[in-house]
Amino acid sequence: MAIADLPLLNQIKGRLTWLDERQRVIAENVANADTPGYVGRDLNQPADFAAALSAGGGLRMARTSALHIAPAAPAARFEARSAPDSETTLDGNSVVVEEQMLKMAESRMAYDAAIGLYQKSMQMLRLAAKPPGR
């Protein structure tokens, strides 16, 4: 089994993909904070990241040599949903920059936690792969 096929690492990769997409949606909300009629959006958190990754399109890269790293799963496609913040201005804009910043900080903390878990998992795999006595 290749390292990329480990379920834990696939779950972490899916989580990082979702967090990256959420940061993009939040950045769009902040960029449109002064656009009349703009309604803020957010992502639904998928219950199963493996299912979200497999629903990414089904296209796979071809390996031309057995020495190449196995291709990654297709990129996940997440659906943004309308998520108005707590207040709407007279021009119809419902983005509150402070709430978006809180969402961004929350996403950043979750991203840092997932990266830390990935790094610890890789350290554990390196330790397990070391020859005895080294």
Side-chain angles (χ1 to χ4, degrees), residues 11 15 32 39 60 69-70 72-73 78 89 92 97 103 126 129 133:
Q11 292 292 318
R15 178 75 172 160
N32 288 297
V39 177
R60 308 251 335 148
I69 296 175
F78 298 105
T89 59
V97 176
K103 289 179 185 179
R126 285 187 199 107

Side-chain angles (χ1 to χ4, degrees), residues 8-117:
L8 175 64
L9 297 182
N10 276 333
Q11 292 292 318
I12 294 170
K13 183 172 66 170
R15 178 75 172 160
L16 291 172
T17 302
W18 183 82
L19 289 166
D20 182 52
E21 186 67 17
R22 186 170 192 223
Q23 287 284 63
R24 187 189 62 75
V25 169
I26 293 170
E28 285 178 3
N29 289 345
V30 172
N32 288 297
D34 293 329
T35 304
Y38 185 83
V39 177
R41 299 181 312 145
D42 202 355
L43 293 182
N44 289 330
Q45 185 166 356
D48 181 18
F49 281 104
L53 287 173
S54 65
L59 296 175
R60 308 251 335 148
M61 293 175 35
R63 288 173 59 180
T64 57
S65 169
L67 300 176
H68 291 165
I69 296 175
R77 295 186 182 113
F78 298 105
E79 295 294 322
R81 63 172 165 79
S82 176
D85 284 334
S86 61
E87 42 186 80
T88 302
T89 59
L90 293 175
D91 65 2
N93 187 301
S94 68
V95 175
V96 178
V97 176
E98 291 82 7
E99 290 181 17
Q100 296 298 315
M101 293 296 111
L102 287 173
K103 289 179 185 179
M104 192 171 289
E106 176 187 287
S107 293
R108 182 60 195 186
M109 288 188 300
Y111 194 89
D112 289 343
I115 289 291
L117 182 59

